[in-house]
Amino acid sequence: MPEKQRYANSPATYEGYGSRLGVEKGAILDWGDYYFLHLRPRRLMSHEKWPSLPPCLRETVDEYGRELIKLCERLMRVLSRGLGLDGGRLQAAFGGGGDDDGVGVCMRVNFYPKCPQPELALGLSSHSDPGGLTVLLPDDRIKGLQVRKDDNWVTVEPAPDAFIVNIGDQIQVVSNAVYRSVEHRVIVNADAERLSIAFFCNPKSDLALGPLPELVTPDRPALYQPMTFDEYRLYIRKKGPRGKSQVESLKGER
Ligand code: OGA
Ligand code: NI
């Protein structure tokens, strides 16, 4: 506990060790802890906020980050082409590459302890990821992630050495809902704990992001009001996870 407290996060920075998203009193808590780190832009990355043990951790996370940034760039190219646009278009809309002044990259390591009455709790309440893309490294032995398909929750079967990729709210906004963010949640287990690592690739935080003009037509008007990711994320950090209501609230007047 003292070690956790040394790295405790605050709603202001979000970075470090914590156990709940959202600061509203009386909210139902999730049965999980997380450690949150910023990787890009580099000025937000401070190794002092990262655990110093095990000794290889900082170097390993740096390397993992560099490789996953490359993977996200490839995925964004594929998604751009899927919209009939130039391969670099989505990344450009997100503020471009570059370690200091482009997309934002952060990581959330989730820990879901054993829960004596798992039917009464969730490890992480229903939400869609607020940013662009999420590359999730799930625990390959223990199930836990569920995605919503219409009115059903479908449990994702982990495959060894595979990532799970989520579309986040900002890709829904920029693509004018051609792509839709996935609603998901995490269930807990009575006899096994579970770990996962979520890697988030987000737009540059101070750009006002709305639907790409190429995707707005008289038949398909812009569905979302522009907002910066800084504003959007602050709202979510205060309120906590709430299904897809947050991205829906960007529709029309606010
Ligand atoms: C998240 C998330 C899923 C999991 O961190 O946003 O949805 O399986 N995690 O831990
Ligand atoms: Ni998520």
Side-chain angles (χ1 to χ4, degrees):
M1 190 49 79
E3 196 67 9
K4 289 179 182 175
Q5 276 166 347
R6 204 148 73 81
Y7 294 105
N9 66 12
S10 76
T13 68
Y14 196 56
E15 194 161 37
Y17 204 98
S19 62
R20 78 176 291 211
L21 191 66
V23 291
E24 281 190 357
K25 296 246 183 318
I28 294 173
L29 303 184
D30 288 334
W31 195 275
D33 285 355
Y34 63 82
Y35 203 106
F36 189 87
L37 303 170
H38 287 288
L39 299 176
R40 298 287 184 282
R42 269 196 213 274
R43 74 189 131 77
L44 290 186
M45 181 172 102
S46 47
H47 274 155
E48 316 83 71
K49 294 197 194 134
W50 298 15
S52 54
L53 289 174
C56 63
L57 181 132
R58 293 174 181 176
E59 203 180 308
T60 308
V61 172
D62 275 338
E63 186 182 350
Y64 188 72
R66 281 193 301 272
E67 292 302 320
L68 262 74
I69 287 169
K70 285 190 232 162
L71 176 61
C72 287
E73 285 175 351
R74 289 174 64 183
L75 292 168
M76 299 263 273
R77 275 201 288 278
V78 173
L79 291 170
S80 273
R81 293 201 189 104
L83 293 167
L85 303 173
D86 176 71
R89 186 66 180 101
L90 266 185
Q91 170 124 359
F94 272 24
D99 290 340
D100 299 305
D101 203 29
V103 297
V105 172
C106 44
M107 216 168 98
R108 176 175 156 132
V109 181
N110 296 295
F111 173 62
Y112 307 102
K114 291 178 192 171
C115 178
Q117 287 180 284
E119 64 289 352
L120 298 182
L122 284 171
L124 185 51
S125 300
S126 161
H127 65 285
S128 50
D129 295 336
L133 274 182
T134 306
V135 179
L136 181 77
L137 181 66
D139 198 311
D140 57 16
R141 296 154 306 139
I142 315 292
K143 290 184 270 202
L145 177 66
Q146 295 188 318
V147 295
R148 186 175 175 127
K149 174 87 178 74
D150 305 318
D151 288 332
N152 300 314
W153 287 104
V154 181
T155 302
V156 177
E157 295 291 332
D161 302 320
F163 288 124
I164 293 169
V165 178
N166 290 344
I167 300 281
D169 294 342
Q170 301 303 314
I171 289 194
Q172 177 168 331
V173 167
V174 166
S175 74
N176 205 21
V178 175
Y179 295 128
R180 307 194 66 95
S181 59
V182 59
E183 185 173 348
H184 56 285
R185 67 179 192 181
V186 178
I187 55 174
V188 283
N189 216 295
D191 38 44
E193 54 190 39
R194 179 172 175 272
L195 266 174
S196 71
I197 303 179
F199 185 90
F200 303 106
C201 179
N202 299 326
K204 181 167 154 30
S205 67
D206 56 359
L207 286 180
L209 237 68
L212 290 174
E214 303 94 302
L215 302 175
V216 176
T217 61
D219 296 343
R220 199 176 169 82
L223 289 170
Y224 307 101
Q225 304 281 325
M227 192 189 244
T228 68
F229 189 55
D230 271 338
E231 289 171 309
Y232 188 63
R233 182 159 59 176
L234 192 64
Y235 177 67
I236 287 173
R237 283 177 192 168
K238 281 193 187 139
K239 300 277 180 196
R242 302 213 167 162
K244 284 199 62 172
S245 64
Q246 285 126 334
V247 66
E248 295 307 324
S249 76
L250 291 176
K251 284 189 172 159
E253 297 277 309
R254 286 191 315 280

